[in-house]
Amino acid sequence: MQITIRNLGLQYYETTWQAMQQFTLDRTEETIDEIWIVEHFPVYTLGINGKPEHLLDAGAIPVIHSDRGGQITYHGPGQLVVYTLLDIKRLKIGVRQLVTILEQAMISTLAGYGITAFARADAPGVYVDGRKIGSLGIRIKKNCCYHGLSFNNQMDLSPFDSINTCGYPGLEVTQLADLGITVNNSELAIPVIQAITTAIQK
């Protein structure tokens, strides 16, 4: 099975989101699946059912109402974002299974760095010592998915203080840099994408 991997570098959220929508709209049954690696300029994004009250103080950071699932989160430079543009019908993967694949990709990557992480059934994402390190949100159209995961690596976490992250008041966040791991996003993406591609090709 073929998957095209694209490393897009630092991009504006809205531009990348529109490109994902267009890719999904234009794709056919023969279109090769893609995975996009990206970082975003600072932005708050609200999921499709996101509640505005979870945005406490946007300050100068733009707020975008996205079409992914989930509540509010923050993206900024130094955070690894991996977008999965997959034909889940062709892959015979359900939505719950896809969420698990994305969570496990981050958990196994962290394990490779000697860090124990876990997923929570009540609050999707990945946690280390009760702090959130990885988030996810997906959208399904035409039996295909887009959006994906965000993985806190080496970034300014302070904008998370101005939101109820993922809709949970008081939820703290962490990142690899604060756990003693120094790795650039391109390196970090390798085990994450390897875990995703291995899981979807089983």
Side-chain angles (χ1 to χ4, degrees):
M1 183 192 305
Q2 198 175 352
I3 298 179
T4 301
I5 312 292
R6 301 189 190 279
N7 195 332
L8 306 180
L10 186 60
Q11 299 284 338
Y12 286 101
Y13 180 86
E14 202 156 15
T15 308
T16 313
W17 171 31
Q18 289 168 351
M20 286 191 288
Q21 288 179 313
Q22 197 62 51
F23 177 88
T24 305
L25 190 66
D26 293 344
R27 67 180 301 165
T28 68
E29 290 180 4
E30 286 72 45
T31 301
I32 295 169
D33 289 331
E34 297 196 1
I35 293 177
W36 297 356
I37 305 162
V38 65
E39 291 180 55
H40 288 307
F41 291 101
V43 65
Y44 290 119
T45 67
L46 268 166
I48 201 160
N49 297 313
K51 296 176 180 175
E53 60 262 32
H54 291 307
L55 175 62
L56 308 177
D57 178 18
I61 298 174
V63 180
I64 292 177
H65 291 258
S66 180
D67 64 347
R68 61 165 175 80
Q71 289 285 336
I72 192 166
T73 195
Y74 169 74
H75 299 303
Q79 181 189 64
L80 172 66
V81 178
V82 176
Y83 290 133
T84 48
L85 295 98
L86 311 172
D87 184 332
I88 61 171
K89 184 180 180 182
R90 183 169 64 198
L91 291 168
K92 299 182 173 63
I93 294 173
V95 176
R96 181 62 245 179
Q97 188 182 354
L98 176 62
V99 167
T100 300
I101 286 169
L102 298 181
E103 289 173 334
Q104 289 301 319
M106 291 186 276
I107 290 169
S108 64
T109 296
L110 287 164
Y113 292 112
I115 296 167
T116 301
F118 60 94
R120 282 171 50 180
D122 62 319
V126 174
Y127 300 81
V128 176
D129 295 328
R131 295 182 175 90
K132 194 161 196 176
I133 194 167
S135 300
L136 49 94
I138 53 176
R139 173 77 173 179
I140 310 294
K141 267 187 188 172
K142 294 172 56 181
N143 297 310
C144 298
C145 68
Y146 57 101
H147 294 295
L149 64 84
S150 59
F151 201 178
N152 300 340
N153 182 18
Q154 197 165 8
M155 62 188 295
D156 176 9
L157 294 177
S158 63
F160 283 102
D161 296 337
S162 298
I163 60 173
N164 292 329
T165 302
C166 304
Y168 291 89
L171 178 62
E172 294 182 26
V173 295
T174 190
Q175 59 182 335
L176 272 81
D178 293 346
L179 300 170
I181 306 300
T182 304
V183 59
N184 66 45
N185 273 3
S186 294
E187 289 177 77
L188 181 61
I190 293 169
V192 174
I193 289 172
Q194 193 168 28
I196 294 170
T197 54
T198 300
I200 65 176
Q201 290 173 345
K202 280 184 178 175

